[in-house]
Amino acid sequence: MASRRSLPPASLLVLALLLAGQLSACSGGDSGEDRVQIGRASRADVTELVEAPAKVAARATATLRAPAEGTIKRLYVADGDEVEKGEVLATIDSPSAREQLARAREADGSVAGSGAAVPAGLDLTAFQRGTDRTARDGFAEARKVAAQIPDPGRRASVLAGITKAEGEYRAASRAAREAVARLNAGLGSVGQAVSSITAAQRVQTRAAVRSAERTVRALTIKAPFDGVVGLGGPASGAGGLGGMLDQLPQGLPGGAASLPGGAALGGGAAKDAASIATGAPISAGDAVVTVTDVSRLSLTADVDETDVLRVTEGVRADVEFDAVQGGTYTAEVTGVGATPSEATGGGVSYKVTLSLGNGTLSGGGAAPRPKPGMSAVVNLRVHERRGVLSVPSSAIVSSGRESIVWVVAGGRAQRRVVGLGAQGDTTVEVVRGLREGERIVVRGADSVRQGQELAP
């Protein structure tokens, strides 16, 4: 009888591993039940998503600025107050603005009362040209500086005022040139020429008066719409904007020191709530109050160029906020921008705006209303299909430009090329190459070989 020899522990371990390998080979190994799972092609809903970062935006925001240097005479609101359109928020005491108005009116009255500030024996041709040059330089400088006003609505209003004044001056200047030409030709009178030059001068002086009057009216700051108040605000980004029409016609007293359109001009410094109080000094252009209309919130999302062509107006989205754990909100695309922005990781992205709907917490309760400026992640439902033939995403194997699934026929794997439709995170629509109910490999598909025997 042969004696038994015990194997050392290391040999036992090797033998155990060899036996395990043989058993795996007999049952399909890693491609058997442990790795390969069989399922069936069935119908389901498939939603293709595009994820993008986003921020909450208010319906409207307006930063109201001091139109002139002075002090805050009275402050009627505090941070967080709700206000209505037209409500007085603050008043500013500005001796310089009132003095400016007085000087502008004096200059206008001087032209109107004297017929024209033209010394005897003056060359009217040269005088008229000088008036044109002064006006042209003043309007050009006014337009250049007005273009720096950060608020689009205010900028457009000021530029429109300048354009109107320029048009009025061109018409008056043309009449003055014709009158001077007739005088030089011996066909007109000095009185007619002087009257025409005076009319051109008055275009400038009247524009200066209107602008100064608007500045004084703007010392009473009112809410432009219903909203929530925040004291102070950001810097305007435009400095040194006073005195743009200081170049009044030659010989007139003083200057208007203001823009046509009544812009709130000046250094435009940023102001925090602590620096806005009754009696506090203020410079022209400084932020006094910011009003935010939160009646309707929207989202601005940055969608990558590789995805933006799939996003269209009306696409629905699910929204999540870091500030609202477990909350999900609804949204809908209202616009897709055409201007590219440089993406942080290279490439470009495009702005997509969405209207923000209500939110629901994971427990079923209503989610709190987000605030403007909050960060969010939107999942845009760019392609939604209901009740379509579909398979799990794990069943799809990419082979070059083809997409394949492994169909189980006669207990063996058969390669099948399929056409795909909407592609969700976990489920993919199959539009051709597969029939409902067919048995397929739904897990471990990347390890299956043609003709491989698969357990039923």
Side-chain angles (χ1 to χ4, degrees), residues 352-389:
V352 172
T353 55
L354 305 95
S355 60
L356 180 63
N358 296 325
T360 305
L361 297 174
S362 55
R369 189 173 177 79
K371 292 184 177 296
M374 283 187 171
S375 298
V377 174
V378 298
N379 289 298
L380 297 149
R381 298 170 169 262
V382 296
H383 202 174
E384 292 185 283
R385 300 283 286 164
R386 302 294 182 189
V388 295
L389 183 63

Side-chain angles (χ1 to χ4, degrees), residues 103-319:
R103 291 167 60 200
R105 284 173 173 169
E106 181 184 358
D108 186 54
S110 176
V111 172
S114 65
V118 182
L122 184 67
D123 183 346
L124 291 181
T125 300
F127 183 74
Q128 195 276 328
R129 288 175 179 171
T131 300
D132 280 353
R133 184 168 54 253
T134 298
R136 184 173 57 252
D137 291 345
F139 284 127
E141 185 65 16
R143 185 174 293 279
K144 176 182 176 182
V145 178
Q148 302 176 44
I149 298 173
D151 180 73
R154 193 60 179 157
R155 181 171 61 248
S157 176
V158 173
L159 288 171
I162 295 172
T163 299
K164 180 180 178 182
E166 282 180 313
E168 292 173 349
Y169 183 83
R170 280 194 298 269
S173 176
R174 184 167 53 251
R177 287 195 303 272
E178 292 172 354
V180 171
R182 287 195 301 272
L183 174 64
N184 293 337
L187 302 175
S189 67
V190 173
Q192 291 174 331
V194 169
S195 178
S196 296
I197 294 174
T198 299
Q201 289 181 338
R202 287 215 68 195
V203 170
Q204 294 174 271
T205 58
R206 285 197 300 267
V209 169
R210 288 196 300 267
S211 181
E213 288 174 340
R214 290 190 185 99
T215 298
V216 170
R217 287 197 298 271
L219 295 174
T220 300
I221 297 177
K222 299 180 180 181
F225 42 72
D226 296 353
V228 179
V229 164
L231 299 184
S236 71
L241 302 181
M244 288 300 100
L245 282 187
D246 217 15
Q247 306 176 57
L248 283 173
Q250 299 173 22
L252 296 182
S258 60
L259 274 171
L265 306 175
K271 289 287 186 179
D272 57 23
S275 63
I276 303 300
T278 298
I282 201 84
S283 297
D286 284 355
V288 180
V289 175
T290 297
V291 180
T292 304
D293 181 353
V294 295
S295 62
R296 186 170 70 244
L297 298 178
S298 61
L299 291 164
T300 301
D302 294 316
V303 178
D304 191 82
E305 61 181 321
T306 58
D307 296 318
V308 73
L309 295 180
R310 295 186 286 164
V311 181
T312 57
E313 188 173 338
V315 165
R316 295 182 301 169
D318 299 317
V319 186

Side-chain angles (χ1 to χ4, degrees), residues 45-51 307 310 315-316 379-385 420-425 427-429:
D45 297 340
V46 180
T47 302
E48 189 171 341
L49 301 176
V50 167
E51 183 180 289
D307 296 318
R310 295 186 286 164
V315 165
R316 295 182 301 169
N379 289 298
L380 297 149
R381 298 170 169 262
V382 296
H383 202 174
E384 292 185 283
R385 300 283 286 164
L420 305 181
Q423 300 183 43
D425 287 341
T427 310
V428 178
E429 178 189 10

